[in-house]
Each structure stands twice: as structure tokens, then as C-alpha cells.
Amino acid sequence: MAATVHIYLHSQLEGASTGTTEHWNRALSIPREDIKRFTLYPLKWVRFATFTVCSAKGDLSATPGGEIVEYDNVSFENLEHEYYYTPNDTYHLTDYQAFNDGITSTAATPRRTNFREDIRRRDNSCVITGRSHEFCDAAHIIPNSKGSNYITYVVRDRSSLYEQLPFFLDDDVDINCIENGILLRKDLHQEFGMAVIGFLNTPNFAMLPTDVPWIEQGPIPHSRTTLQYLMKPHTGRGSLEQWDIRADWSRDELPPPPSILLDFMYGAAVVKRWGCNPLGDVLRKRFEDDFSKVLAENPKHSTPEDDESEVELDLIQGTTTQIGTLGGQTEGETKHSQSDASAGLLEAMDMVLYLSMMVKGTTPELMAAE
């Protein structure tokens, strides 16, 4: 039984060292115990997570170029030490610096009032906890500082992978569009900006809603958006390591965040958590060749007033195999940009919420209803 699962990508990766015709490069190293927190079928989630990193649909095999695994029949106890991901198309690698900006509170920023009001009108309260909007931020999924050219590039670069898009590809995508926002309690906004949490939409090409653990009451819905803690919380959350979004996103005139944006940031978070070399070298080249040029063309979207409220974030990694200096960390370290006092406050808030739910015998859904 493998304690850590290593994922290899084919040498289609530009810049990868190639000494043979068939060359595979280790891209991800994910502890088995982490995978268990996200899914009931380990290789289904591994397949999806790998897809979000390379943006090419494909399949896993236990040997290079071997037979496709039986996704429904591989248990956690039967996981192999290594798997190989064979893409069906060209890679469109994620941006390893997607999170490497800041978290800006939208509450006191006049130029973002329209964005915040649009998100508040659609979501009404924190989409996870039901906390009143006065205590929430209208969080950008693609960071506001990236600008409209950047989000437009991301959408066009990955558009062929998604059957339904809320955007017209001939038009530019506004970084402050309602699809790029989500109303989150302030501490959850910070955790999202630090790649601690990610949002998983199901169904997707690799997973069904029933593949994700269900802790709510009632039947599993036909479609789900699930907040998942990619880094295990320090508090005694127990089953609260993931929550399903309970916001009403069924109204056509107020479109929800699309998978194309949520998946992009999920992949960037996966790289931070479990990425390893030589993927890091390839991602740097991808950034220099594409993303950096797009960013250079963007008009500045932040003002000095905005910058004063921003929290600069370092990349976070929590595995023993890490992408060189991407996170500026040594083996096994996890860096936090928050102060000890801030981290302690967030932990205390989480514990209070967890204990209150235990005492009441309730769920996030019922608390939101109250």
C-alpha cells in the first residue's frame, strides 16, 4: 500500500529533459491520506487533479503507456506507488504564480463597489457558512491584480475543454465580471487566496457528484460545488474538512462561477501543495513564455489605496517533494503569511463553529437556514 502516490506526465512537456523516445517526468507527489479526504474513488480524483494542472483530458495507467486503470475498482488499499498520465491533447499548463499576489478586501474599495454588489445580490451571504454579507468579502476567483487580459487569456486558452462557457470568446472577459466572484467569509477568503482551499465542481470529465464524500442531510444533488481543504486544517474539524456550497445559483440572470475558472485555480493550488520537479522548471518556462507576457500588457487594476489593504502571500507547499524554489521552502516546511495572532484567531473561529455544530447536532446547511 503506497503512502505517497507519484504522478508522471509524458515528455510532451516542453523544456523537459529527454534522453529516450518515451520520457516521463514526475509532476505530483500526493500523500494517500490527503487523497482520502477528497474522494471515495482515489484515482478519479487523481485524474481530475492532474487535468487541472495540465489542462489536457487523459487517462492514468500503472505503467508508462500501459492499460487504463479501472477507476471504479481501485481502492485506497490497492493504490500503486506510481501512475502515468497520458493526455488526449496538447497541454495547457496552469500558472504556478496564479496565487502569488494579494488578497484585497472589497468592502472599502470604491472602484469595486459594483463588483461587490453584484456578488452580494447573487450570493446574499457566505456561500459556505451562511454568514451575513457584512462579514464577507466578494472574493475574486482569478485575482483582481491579474487584470482582464489575463482572465481573457485563461478562458480562451482552455475553452476547448469545456462544453458550456458563460463567455463569448470573441469578447474580452472583465476581471470584475460576476462569474469571477464568490462571496466568502473573510477568513475563508484568506484561505482561498493562500491556496489552502479549492472549489471542486462535479460532475466533471473525471468525477461524479457521488464520488465526493457527502456530509449533508438528504440525497446527493445532481451537481455540486464543494469547498475542499487541500491543506489539512489545524483544528478539530473532523468531517468539516469540506463543505458543499448552498447558495442558490439556479437563476439564469445571475451566472455562478464556471468550472473553467474554478478548475484553473484548483490546479494552481494542487501545484503549490504537491508539485515537484521537473514540473517546476516547465511551469517557469510556461510562465515566462505566456503568462508573464499577458501580465505585462495588462493595465494596472490596483490603486495605492488597494495595495494598503493587500496581504502578500508566499506559495505554500506541504509535501516532501517540492518544486525547487517556487515556494522558497525547504523540505517539509509550510509557510504562512499570516501572523501567529491572526492564525490563532482564525483557528479559534473555526473551533467555535465546529463546537456549535456538534452541540446543536446540525450541519452548515441548517445553520445557514437559521
Side-chain angles (χ1 to χ4, degrees):
M1 181 174 63
T4 301
V5 176
H6 304 290
I7 310 302
Y8 290 79
L9 293 180
H10 192 264
S11 58
Q12 178 191 118
L13 295 176
E14 295 182 3
S17 59
T18 54
T20 61
T21 303
E22 291 290 326
H23 191 85
W24 297 81
N25 302 278
R26 190 167 68 175
L28 302 170
S29 294
I30 310 175
R32 182 176 61 90
E33 292 303 312
D34 280 347
I35 301 174
K36 290 180 68 174
R37 297 188 290 112
F38 308 135
T39 180
L40 303 175
Y41 299 91
L43 292 187
K44 286 189 173 185
W45 179 86
V46 169
R47 183 189 184 198
F48 171 76
T50 307
F51 159 77
T52 64
V53 172
C54 67
S55 284
K57 295 179 181 180
D59 282 291
L60 295 168
S61 59
T63 58
E67 293 185 3
I68 297 174
V69 299
E70 297 182 8
Y71 296 103
D72 290 311
N73 295 329
V74 178
S75 66
F76 290 97
E77 290 71 23
N78 296 330
L79 280 175
E80 301 287 347
H81 189 62
E82 298 175 346
Y83 288 95
Y84 299 82
Y85 188 82
T86 302
N88 299 328
D89 205 343
T90 305
Y91 294 135
H92 300 268
L93 293 168
T94 191
D95 178 7
Y96 81 96
Q97 294 208 44
F99 287 98
N100 198 22
D101 286 292
I103 303 172
T104 304
S105 172
T106 56
T109 308
R111 66 166 51 195
R112 297 183 191 158
T113 298
N114 291 339
F115 173 76
R116 177 178 174 81
E117 287 305 309
D118 288 343
I119 303 304
R120 187 199 64 77
R121 184 162 55 93
R122 185 194 65 196
D123 296 346
N124 188 47
S125 60
C126 174
V127 298
I128 299 299
T129 66
R131 184 67 163 162
S132 175
H133 65 84
E134 290 91 348
F135 302 94
C136 298
D137 289 338
H140 285 80
I141 297 170
I142 304 292
N144 178 75
S145 58
K146 300 295 186 185
S148 296
N149 288 352
Y150 183 95
I151 189 175
T152 299
Y153 176 81
V154 168
V155 169
R156 291 175 179 171
D157 186 52
R158 297 185 164 209
S159 61
S160 63
L161 298 167
Y162 298 88
E163 295 180 359
Q164 295 182 343
L165 290 174
F167 310 108
F168 294 102
L169 296 182
D170 292 337
D171 298 334
D172 291 340
V173 181
D174 188 350
I175 194 69
N176 288 315
C177 65
I178 190 172
E179 294 90 346
N180 192 40
I182 187 170
L183 199 64
L184 293 175
R185 198 176 63 191
K186 292 181 181 295
D187 60 312
L188 293 176
H189 182 195
Q190 279 201 325
E191 290 178 327
F192 177 64
M194 296 169 67
V196 172
I197 61 177
F199 292 95
L200 171 66
N201 264 358
T202 51
N204 54 56
F205 96 100
M207 301 181 69
L208 298 172
T210 51
D211 297 333
V212 182
W214 177 248
I215 64 172
E216 311 290 350
Q217 296 181 353
I220 298 177
H222 296 297
S223 63
R224 300 170 61 184
T225 301
T226 307
L227 178 153
Q228 295 187 321
Y229 271 82
L230 303 184
M231 184 174 71
K232 188 175 178 65
H234 296 294
T235 62
R237 289 178 184 267
S239 62
L240 299 183
E241 291 178 9
Q242 65 173 30
W243 289 333
D244 269 56
I245 283 180
R246 310 311 300 177
D248 181 10
W249 284 345
S250 61
R251 294 169 291 179
D252 293 339
E253 72 276 11
L254 298 172
S259 294
I260 192 170
L261 302 183
L262 295 176
D263 290 355
F264 179 79
M265 298 306 289
Y266 198 97
V270 166
V271 168
K272 283 190 176 185
R273 298 262 70 81
W274 304 294
C276 52
N277 280 317
L279 177 63
D281 296 331
V282 179
L283 289 176
R284 289 187 190 92
K285 187 177 187 304
R286 160 76 158 156
F287 180 82
E288 294 169 359
D289 290 347
D290 298 308
F291 291 112
S292 64
K293 295 177 181 177
V294 175
L295 289 170
E297 298 171 355
N298 279 337
K300 297 297 183 181
H301 283 262
S302 62
T303 65
E305 178 186 8
D306 295 340
D307 293 339
E308 289 177 359
S309 61
E310 288 191 348
V311 180
E312 291 300 323
L313 303 175
D314 291 322
L315 299 185
I316 307 168
Q317 297 197 352
T319 61
T320 55
T321 52
Q322 303 171 8
I323 300 182
T325 59
L326 281 184
Q329 297 169 259
T330 58
E331 184 173 326
E333 291 182 335
T334 300
K335 296 179 65 178
H336 297 271
S337 62
Q338 296 173 288
S339 65
D340 292 340
S342 176
L345 177 60
L346 295 181
E347 185 168 332
M349 293 172 62
D350 290 337
M351 180 60 76
V352 169
L353 178 62
Y354 174 72
L355 291 176
S356 66
M357 294 177 69
M358 290 286 290
V359 171
K360 293 182 179 181
T362 187
T363 67
E365 178 182 8
L366 295 178
M367 288 188 69
E370 292 176 1

